[in-house]
Amino acid sequence: MFKEKIKILGAYGGKGIDANNTSIQIDRCSVIDAGNIIKAIGDDAKYIDNIFLTHSHLDHIIDIPFLVESFYEVRNKPIKIYALKETIEHLNRYIFNWNIWPDFSDIDLINQKHSIEFIEIQVNKILQFRNFSIKPIKTNHTISSCGYVITKDENSIFFTGDTFICDEIWEEINQNLSIKQLIVDVSFPSRLEVAAQTSKHLTLKLLKEELTKLKRDDVKIYINHLKPTYIDEITEELKVLELENKITILNDSDVINLKKIKKTSRKKDLDIEQLIMKCNTKDDFNRVIKRLEKEKQKIK
């Protein structure tokens, strides 16, 4: 499945009824961020050996402690956590500190030394693996935030991770012609620009301004990390700003083909009668209507 593709395990900047935290699967053994690994791939999570972190915020790391604990007995090698220096320091200081969670970097597996191995990465230094290469690019979110250019067979996609206004993103895309697709953070509706600026995220209006720095017309644009509360509002704003034909909102379980520049949306069998029968309150019914409206918007 993963020869020329990546899968969106979690597309959002928070947890909702049908929305999960950020995580992207590169191949069977490798993911970027750990916001939604176990729920998304179930028992196959035991095969995850490499986790590339964009930064240390909770919605991007939350599955790491549970991933180690859940598959402790069946693993025979450590999970490698690739991140910038400050991100590793944050994990050691605030998560794996024996107070919030055991320090699994100091706990041996049954047949192997240590459960976790932290590997410091450098901005702009490419890491080469058997099925892909990955290049960290500095972003403007936290002191330790970065995005990644993922390359398979000379076809690349740039995942920014969380970011605010950042010239490095557009410089990389303008210079690296193998990048044909971009996944970029849009967390808030444009009316909340102050909140976006304070927390260093983009809105659609800010992204529209940033796109003037893109000197190419052959790059497909996706947005992710929408806060679940604002999914409908940002979806409507795409139409208002006349961006709906230029920008696609990613959903959990979407698959992106790096070669064909084609997104395959998740398939769900919607049994309307069954959904309605499960409604016990007016709010339940309204949620079903919203869900059906979302599916309707995907039909072109």
Side-chain angles (χ1 to χ4, degrees), residues 33-38 45 48 51 53 56-73 75 79 81 90-92 94-105 107 109 115-116 118:
D33 285 337
N36 187 45
I37 299 174
I38 298 173
I48 297 300
I51 300 175
L53 293 179
S56 56
H57 282 169
L58 189 61
D59 54 326
H60 298 258
I61 67 168
I62 194 165
D63 263 14
I64 297 176
F66 304 110
L67 189 66
V68 179
E69 181 189 59
S70 297
F71 301 104
Y72 174 77
E73 284 195 80
R75 293 193 59 84
I79 297 174
I81 310 295
H90 295 163
L91 288 173
N92 284 322
Y94 301 116
I95 303 296
F96 298 106
N97 58 10
W98 293 106
N99 294 313
I100 300 301
W101 204 255
D103 182 4
F104 275 95
S105 66
I107 297 177
L109 294 170
S115 306
I116 288 181
F118 293 105

Side-chain angles (χ1 to χ4, degrees), residues 3-16:
K3 183 178 180 181
E4 298 169 343
K5 301 172 183 177
I6 61 171
K7 184 175 183 180
I8 310 302
L9 302 182
Y12 299 96
K15 291 187 71 65

Side-chain angles (χ1 to χ4, degrees), residues 24 37 60 80 84 91 102 163-164 222 237 288:
I24 293 178
I37 299 174
H60 298 258
K80 295 182 178 180
L84 296 177
L91 288 173
T163 192
F164 188 54
Y222 301 101
E237 192 177 0
V288 171

